[in-house]
Amino acid sequence: MSLQTTCYNILASYKDAQSHHKTSKYFDVILVTVIVINIATMMLSTVPGTSSQWGTELHIIEVISVCLFTLEYLLRIWSSGAAPPSALASSKDVQLHTPWQKRWHYLKSPMALIDLLAILPFYLSMFVTLDLRILRVFRVLRILKLGRYSRSMQTLITAIRNESHALIAALSVLMLFTVIAATCIYYIEHTAQPEAFSSIPASLWWAVVTLTTVGYGDIVPITPGGKIFGGLITLLGICFYALPAGILSSSFTAQMQLKRDRFKETVRTVLEDGKFSDHDANHLERMRALLDLDEEEARLIIRLLQHHHKNDNREKDN
């Protein structure tokens, strides 16, 4: 195995690594620890007393962690040239990709962009004289690096991707309804409250907090018509703003059910020969970890399918 392939498997999540699983797991733990320390440092640096007393130490931690993130980013780019077919988007990509094309494929991926944005503000602040304080906001993106090691986060991203068209349609309806609500409340309340409802764009704030049922109370209707309309908008908001949540929860549940079905198929395949060896148990445990299923749930699925398999064999013998 080449150094590039070894590096790729170590940098990959240990659940996805094709070799060097133990080393990959240790690397994951170390990197997650560095990310957590870096995020904690970023948060502490905004505390006036802490930043003045421990400013030097916090800066040292920031420099060290950014250096580690940079090294990780460069190694991921280099080792992505040895990416296996399963790591690419499709079989067509596998046939056409050279090592440099694989690297470009990785550079365009969401996690690679997050890795770049997480370190870019640090280097820009060193070489550019402009006020780049706004770019420090991107430092919080480092917490998204943890998504690489969270199967639940990856499942949520898959759910969002699968339901992107439905989510866009729902959000479009929400935006349209928000504009209609802002327009109506403007004409109802503008005469009574010209400062609060000075324009339709200014009324959008009231429409958003009312439709989401947050109701901060900083802008409220005072006319009878405005109160009636506000109550109606609040009730409709419960229905309309529940649409995206319903779509996401349905898709997330479907993704989890798909994982359970895949695990069940694997268990059925293992039980076909009528034996359940330690090798089979290890294989199923690895599949359970890859699918991010609960251990108790996985054991229950195995026991139920074993029971069904024994009953089927008895019926065949009879």
Side-chain angles (χ1 to χ4, degrees), residues 159-161 163-180 204 208 211-212 237 239-248:
I160 294 174
R161 187 187 301 116
E163 300 296 335
S164 58
H165 295 294
L167 286 172
I168 291 173
L171 292 175
S172 299
V173 172
L174 290 177
M175 290 178 62
L176 178 62
F177 194 70
T178 302
V179 172
I180 292 174
L204 283 172
V208 170
L211 283 167
T212 55
C239 301
F240 280 100
Y241 272 79
L243 284 175
I247 292 171
L248 279 180

Side-chain angles (χ1 to χ4, degrees), residues 67 83 112 123 151 154 224 228 251 255 257 277 295 302:
C67 289
Y123 293 108
R151 290 287 176 179
Q154 294 174 14
I228 294 173
S251 181
Q255 289 296 320
Q257 185 59 47
S277 62
E295 291 185 15
I302 293 173

Side-chain angles (χ1 to χ4, degrees), residues 33 71 94 126 135 175-176 211 214 231 302 307:
T33 303
L71 179 61
V94 176
M126 294 172 56
L135 292 179
M175 290 178 62
L176 178 62
L211 283 167
V214 175
I302 293 173
H307 177 72

